[in-house]
């Protein structure tokens, strides 16, 4: 096996890949998924430990681990790009990791923007969840044989941004509801569990809703175009029976409805209602991620099984 | 270093006497200038706040600072207060007591409200003022820098300052700032007038509030308050209209019935606000807002009782933080005194090192003359050997000096070194 190739260990049936697949990927650089997952996990544990007691070194160590995790993940993704120059980061596996990477950047940015807040308590588990979801996702490039790489990139990037904004909207909505609840009960602030102000959370929340609607719409549209280019005469593939497409369409419908609701009904422009809308959007996202990682679809495992032979860059051991 | 402090503070002197002794900036400047002229060899800093007036004096180790009577007389004569009247209530501290006292003052452990944050800025301002006049020097510089460092350590390493204990500060810093990210674009409506409302306004203005609307049944009173706070007076009839626009409301009227009833709020305010966040601080007793108004979405209503619970919790939390804060003060006091004592050994250490270096140079010159065939490399090696030897020979006495300085005066050891090595006084 040439240096730089990806090693995959599969547990379960090879053909259908229906069982849980434990993928441990080791790159030529020596950085593997475990490196950054462990870093994020330790940072999260430190956030949790901070609820009990915080020391002078606490934040520094937490930042060091999160920073190390981000650096390792960046290195890992760069290595992935160099392994597949034709369709870089075009697999659902990479897509999940990339979404986690963007959220990790957002996390570090927020830690510097608003030090002392407990944003990591909410963001880090989501990052770990996405890295975890990547373990179940296909590693076959979705756009490997497609006519237009341009539409493939547009499809991937817009859905990636949509996922990130839905995640951010969900987290800010969750934090909004917790903060609002604490204020209603006149509970004093706790140093170890500081949340941003309602005004700031509302700002993030409402913009996340708008941007997720726009990016998801662009993602779905580019996907439809891509499908028509890829399967112009293929009658065996029906776009609107793919669970991933259906869950994405449902989420988009919800996001558009929510945005219209916000525009028409003034009270829905305020924090708590927007928070509920973004929480619901996240449920759709979870369905979509589930479809991608668990179901036999073109986007998921079926794509892997069908296209495994067409992908020379990957060697299954 | 010799230190002396004479002054009065809230525990030993009534506010009436403290007021007579208090110095504003100009007076403090004048007092320090006259002090500098009278005692040019003594460094001095005057700390005057609403809770204390204290004059700190410092001189080099060989000299003695002016006696406490002179210090007291200087304070009293400036305000023309008879010294006999002050003497029983004045506090006099010396050396280590002065260090510990200033460190506790700067860390807000000696304040009337323990943990209040203003005192650190006041100590810094007092030092800066004295430095500007030229009544400070290296001794007070080290002393006050150490005090500020202690205060910062207490603030950073203990939760003492994080727990606010006044209703207005809790209302703004612990509650309103969790709702609003900024206050410069918010409209604040003050209904009625009162000491606590004004204190809350002070916090809001500090936070950046610019749009202040002041409503009162008595419009001239509203105008008066509005003028004081650069706000806009509001006629009582327009109260509900302003409430619709407001982001923050501070209500503190003396009405015996709620001014804002649930029915009126439901009819005139809630439908027009569209659940936009509203922070209401009802400081009135009996309350100005019917409590059920707080059930509306986006309305965060707090009465004095709601915040009083937080006040009590914070007071208790401060008490639990006190031992840790006192420990830091003790550590910093010991450290400062050890460093100050060690600094007194600097002349003898320098003299000792000079003596060794001179001897080394003489012996090397003699050796190189006797052995002229040595090349440069050999000469450098021999010089390095001599340097290492001196460093190793001096290490034990210098370390002993440092050790002794940590626990007490190194004077006897310094004396012994002088006699052993025949150093000049």
């Amino acid at each position: 096996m040439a240096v730089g190739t990806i090693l995959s260990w599969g547990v379960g049936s090879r053909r259908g890949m229906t069982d849980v697949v434990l993928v441990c990927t080791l790159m030529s650089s020596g950085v593997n998924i475990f490196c950054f997952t462990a870093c994020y996990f330790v940072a999260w544990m430190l956030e949790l430990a901070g609820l009990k007691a915080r020391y002078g070194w606490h934040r520094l160590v937490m930042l060091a681990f999160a920073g190390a995790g981000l650096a390792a993940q960046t290195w890992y993704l760069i290595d992935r790009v160099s392994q597949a120059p034709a369709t870089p980061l075009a697999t659902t596996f990479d897509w999940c990791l990339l979404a986690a990477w963007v959220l990790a950047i957002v996390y570090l940015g927020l830690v510097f923007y608003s030090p002392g807040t407990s944003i990591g308590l909410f963001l880090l588990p989501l990052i770990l969840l996405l890295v975890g979801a990547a373990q179940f996702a296909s590693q076959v490039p979705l756009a490997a044989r497609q006519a237009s790489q341009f539409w493939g990139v547009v499809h991937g990037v817009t859905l990636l941004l949509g996922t990130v904004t839905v995640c951010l909207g969900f987290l800010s909505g969750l934090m909004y509801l917790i903060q609002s609840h604490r204020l209603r009960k006149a509970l004093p602030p706790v140093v170890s569990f500081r949340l941003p102000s309602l005004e700031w959370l509302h700002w993030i929340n409402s913009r996340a809703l708008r941007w997720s609607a726009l990016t998801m719409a662009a993602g779905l549209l580019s996907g439809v175009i891509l499908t028509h280019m890829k399967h112009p005469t293929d009658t065996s593939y029906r776009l609107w029976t793919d669970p991933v497409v259906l869950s994405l369409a449902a989420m988009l419908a919800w996001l558009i409805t929510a945005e219209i609701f916000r525009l028409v009904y003034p009270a829905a422009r305020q924090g708590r209602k927007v928070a509920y809308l973004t929480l619901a959007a996240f449920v759709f996202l979870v369905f979509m991620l589930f479809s991608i990682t668990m179901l036999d679809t073109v986007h998921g495992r079926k794509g892997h099984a069908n296209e495994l032979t067409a992908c020379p860059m990957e060697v299954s051991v | 270093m010799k230190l002396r402090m004479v002054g009065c503070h809230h525990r030993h002197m009534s506010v009436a006497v403290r007021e007579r002794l208090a110095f504003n900036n100009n007076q403090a400047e004048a007092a320090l200038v006259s002090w500098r002229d009278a005692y040019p060899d003594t460094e001095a800093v005057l700390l005057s706040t609403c809770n204390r007036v204290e004059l700190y004096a410092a001189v080099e180790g060989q000299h003695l600072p002016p006696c406490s009577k002179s210090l007291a007389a200087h304070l009293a004569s400036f305000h023309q207060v008879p010294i006999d009247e002050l003497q029983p209530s004045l506090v006099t501290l010396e050396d280590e007591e002065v260090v510990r006292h200033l460190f506790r003052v700067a860390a807000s452990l000696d304040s009337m409200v323990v943990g209040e944050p203003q005192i650190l800025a006041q100590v810094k301002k007092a030092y800066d003022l004295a430095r500007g006049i030229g009544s400070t020097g290296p001794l007070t510089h080290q002393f006050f820098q150490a005090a500020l460092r202690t205060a910062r350590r207490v603030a950073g390493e203990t939760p003492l300052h994080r727990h606010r204990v006044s209703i207005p500060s809790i209302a703004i810093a612990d509650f309103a700032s969790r709702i609003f990210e900024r206050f410069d674009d918010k409209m604040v409506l003050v209904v009625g007038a009162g000491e606590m409302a004004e204190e809350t306004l002070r916090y809001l203005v500090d936070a950046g509030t610019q749009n202040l609307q002041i409503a009162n049944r008595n419009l001239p009173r509203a105008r008066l308050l509005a003028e004081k706070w650069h706000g806009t007076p509001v006629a009582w009839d327009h109260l509900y209209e302003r409430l619709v626009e407001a982001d923050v409301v501070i209500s503190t009227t003396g009405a015996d019935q709620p001014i804002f009833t649930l029915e009126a709020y439901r009819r005139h305010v809630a439908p027009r606000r569209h659940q936009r966040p509203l922070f209401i601080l009802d400081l009135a007793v009996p309350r100005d807002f019917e409590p059920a108004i707080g059930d509306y979405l986006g309305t965060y209503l707090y009465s004095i009782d709601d915040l009083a619970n937080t006040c009590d919790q914070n007071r208790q939390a401060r008490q639990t933080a006190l031992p840790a804060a006192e420990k830091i003060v003790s550590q910093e006091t010991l450290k400062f005194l050890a460093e100050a004592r060690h600094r007194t050994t600097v002349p003898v250490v320098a003299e000792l090192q000079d003596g060794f270096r001179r001897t080394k140079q003489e012996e090397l010159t003699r050796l190189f003359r006797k052995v002229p065939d040595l090349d440069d490399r050999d000469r450098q090696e021999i010089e390095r050997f001599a340097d290492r030897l001196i460093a190793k020979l001096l290490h034990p006495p210098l370390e002993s000096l440092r050790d002794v300085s940590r626990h007490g005066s190194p004077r006897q050891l310094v004396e012994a070194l002088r006699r052993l090595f025949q150093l000049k006084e």
Side-chain angles (χ1 to χ4, degrees), chain B residues 30-144:
Chain B
L32 285 171
V33 167
S34 70
W35 174 271
R36 191 190 56 197
D37 296 342
Y39 302 98
D41 295 330
T42 306
E43 298 175 23
V45 176
L46 178 61
L47 174 65
S48 178
T49 70
C50 48
N51 287 327
R52 66 185 69 248
V53 178
E54 292 171 349
L55 181 59
Y56 293 86
V59 288
E60 278 292 358
Q62 296 89 339
H63 308 99
L64 282 175
C67 65
S68 49
K69 275 190 179 173
S70 305
L71 289 163
H74 193 76
L75 285 177
S77 64
F78 190 88
H79 290 291
Q80 294 162 350
V81 179
I83 184 77
D84 298 340
E85 207 177 294
L86 292 176
Q87 201 68 50
S89 313
L90 283 176
V91 177
T92 303
L93 301 174
E94 288 184 8
D95 299 330
E96 186 177 338
E97 294 168 332
V98 181
V99 176
R100 190 177 294 278
H101 175 74
L102 180 67
F103 286 9
R104 291 188 81 249
V105 168
S108 187
L109 298 177
D110 199 55
S111 300
M112 192 180 271
V113 179
V114 174
E116 53 98 3
Q118 290 91 349
I119 186 68
L120 177 61
Q122 287 167 334
V123 170
K124 192 172 181 306
K125 196 174 156 193
Y127 173 72
D128 287 342
L129 191 134
R131 195 181 56 176
I133 287 159
S135 70
T136 58
L139 304 177
T140 40
H141 175 77
Q142 285 152 7
F143 182 32
F144 274 78

Side-chain angles (χ1 to χ4, degrees), chain A residues 113 176 179-180 182-184 186-189 191 195-200 265-268 270-273, chain B residues 162 174-175 177-182 185-186 274-277 294-300 302 306 310 313:
Chain A
Y113 174 78
Y176 188 100
Q179 181 76 297
S180 175
R182 291 182 61 81
L183 282 163
R184 284 204 162 274
L187 295 173
V191 177
L195 295 175
S197 67
L198 294 184
E199 188 179 12
W200 189 84
Y265 178 46
Q270 296 310 321
R272 188 182 279 229
K273 287 203 169 57
Chain B
R162 287 178 212 142
D174 288 355
F175 286 90
S177 62
R178 281 156 74 197
I179 298 171
F180 302 116
E181 187 68 9
R182 47 193 284 197
D185 59 348
K186 303 292 178 301
H274 302 300
Q275 298 171 14
R276 197 159 54 81
D295 294 339
Y296 272 92
L297 277 181
T299 306
Y300 300 90
Y302 300 96
D306 294 328
T310 309
Q313 282 176 26

Side-chain angles (χ1 to χ4, degrees), chain A residues 41-84:
Chain A
F41 186 73
V42 173
W44 184 40
M45 285 297 117
L46 285 167
E47 284 270 15
L48 284 172
L51 289 173
K52 196 83 182 159
R54 273 178 194 263
Y55 303 96
W57 48 264
H58 205 105
R59 187 167 174 262
L60 198 69
V61 176
M62 211 162 64
L63 277 176
F65 270 100
L70 182 67
Q73 196 180 359
T74 309
W75 193 321
Y76 181 87
L77 289 171
I78 290 171
D79 230 1
R80 293 275 302 170
V81 172
S82 67
Q83 300 305 318

Side-chain angles (χ1 to χ4, degrees), chain B residues 315-346:
Chain B
R315 268 199 200 98
Q316 282 169 9
R318 277 192 179 183
Q319 287 301 318
T320 56
L322 277 179
E326 293 284 7
K327 196 177 164 189
I328 290 172
V329 168
S330 294
Q331 283 171 357
E332 288 292 331
T333 304
L334 290 177
K335 189 179 160 194
F336 175 79
L337 291 170
E339 283 172 2
R341 284 192 291 259
H342 189 61
R343 271 195 297 276
T344 62
T345 67
V346 169

